[in-house]
Amino acid sequence: MLKEYYTEIIATVITLVLYIPCRKLIGYIIRSFSTKEQRKDSRVLLIIRLFNTLLSVIFLILILTIWGVQPENFMVTLTSVFTVIGVAMFAQWSLLSNITAGILLFFSFPFRIGDTIRLQDKDFPIEAKIIDIKAFCTILLTTENEKISYPNSLLLQKGIVIVNKKEDIDNPTI
């Protein structure tokens, strides 16, 4: 009985053995980037968790393909499931856009935790210090000690002025 599936079993074991070093490599790359860019540890763990979830989905698809699930059938099923989820939970789109924006903020934006920024919003201009950048929102602290939870997707849409960088505050030039 097992002889019939010997090739699939070996390929699955090899795939599972490769999964662990891939997870470690992703973690190493993200931690190296965060050390170089001086990012906060809690943000690093969040980004690693998101990338590991994506890696798990990729390896699951690979294992299903090894066991004979036709990619076309799998993609049709996956597309149908996402369509139903998308129609049923249209409000979740903002959550996905905020998570994506959080990842973009982690990798490419010039402001960091500790910087004071000014959001260029015509109706509600805000000047505040960045306290934390989470998966869905950025926590800001105004000069009046008000904590504001600002959606990450809006940070990508609004103009932002960096008033004081954390390095400028920590090491002022005389």
Side-chain angles (χ1 to χ4, degrees), residues 43 46-47 50 94-106 109 111 117 119 130 132-140 148-158 160:
R43 295 278 301 141
L46 174 70
I47 298 298
L50 290 172
S94 64
L95 293 176
L96 293 175
S97 67
N98 282 321
I99 290 173
T100 304
I103 292 171
L104 289 172
L105 288 173
F106 179 79
F109 272 75
F111 50 85
I117 61 170
L119 297 167
I130 299 174
D132 198 4
I133 302 173
K134 300 184 179 283
F136 302 106
C137 64
T138 297
I139 308 297
L140 304 171
I148 299 172
S149 173
Y150 205 80
N152 287 336
S153 60
L154 290 180
L155 282 175
L156 293 178
Q157 297 172 12
K158 303 288 181 182
I160 295 175

Side-chain angles (χ1 to χ4, degrees), residues 79-122:
T79 304
S80 300
V81 168
F82 279 133
T83 302
V84 169
I85 289 172
V87 169
M89 300 177 165
F90 184 70
Q92 300 304 321
W93 178 251
S94 64
L95 293 176
L96 293 175
S97 67
N98 282 321
I99 290 173
T100 304
I103 292 171
L104 289 172
L105 288 173
F106 179 79
F107 282 109
S108 64
F109 272 75
F111 50 85
R112 297 187 179 139
I113 294 172
D115 290 352
T116 301
I117 61 170
R118 184 179 319 119
L119 297 167
Q120 301 294 318
D121 190 335
K122 184 174 85 173

Side-chain angles (χ1 to χ4, degrees), residues 12-147:
T12 302
V13 168
I14 290 170
T15 303
L16 292 174
V17 168
L18 288 175
Y19 175 74
I20 295 168
C22 286
R23 278 183 61 124
K24 298 231 183 254
L25 181 64
I26 286 174
Y28 174 77
I29 291 169
I30 293 172
R31 280 190 180 92
S32 295
F33 176 82
S34 69
T35 301
K36 182 178 134 193
E37 296 294 322
Q38 301 172 344
R39 303 287 193 210
K40 188 176 176 185
D41 286 340
S42 62
R43 295 278 301 141
V44 172
L45 296 176
L46 174 70
I47 298 298
I48 288 172
R49 201 173 318 131
L50 290 172
F51 274 91
N52 282 340
T53 301
L54 178 64
L55 183 70
S56 298
V57 169
I58 291 170
F59 270 81
L60 178 65
I61 291 170
L62 184 61
I63 289 172
L64 289 173
T65 304
I66 289 169
W67 283 93
V69 176
Q70 297 298 320
E72 304 85 38
N73 296 341
F74 183 74
M75 293 312 267
V76 167
T77 304
L78 193 62
T79 304
S80 300
V81 168
F82 279 133
T83 302
V84 169
I85 289 172
V87 169
M89 300 177 165
F90 184 70
Q92 300 304 321
W93 178 251
S94 64
L95 293 176
L96 293 175
S97 67
N98 282 321
I99 290 173
T100 304
I103 292 171
L104 289 172
L105 288 173
F106 179 79
F107 282 109
S108 64
F109 272 75
F111 50 85
R112 297 187 179 139
I113 294 172
D115 290 352
T116 301
I117 61 170
R118 184 179 319 119
L119 297 167
Q120 301 294 318
D121 190 335
K122 184 174 85 173
D123 298 326
F124 301 103
I126 298 171
E127 185 169 321
K129 182 178 180 180
I130 299 174
I131 298 210
D132 198 4
I133 302 173
K134 300 184 179 283
F136 302 106
C137 64
T138 297
I139 308 297
L140 304 171
L141 182 66
T142 66
T143 53
E144 294 84 26
N145 284 331
E146 297 175 319
K147 280 189 179 177

Side-chain angles (χ1 to χ4, degrees), residues 160-174:
I160 295 175
V161 175
I162 301 174
V163 178
N164 285 326
K165 290 196 75 61
K166 183 179 178 187
E167 297 90 38
D168 296 341
I169 296 169
D170 294 339
N171 302 314
T173 55
I174 299 175

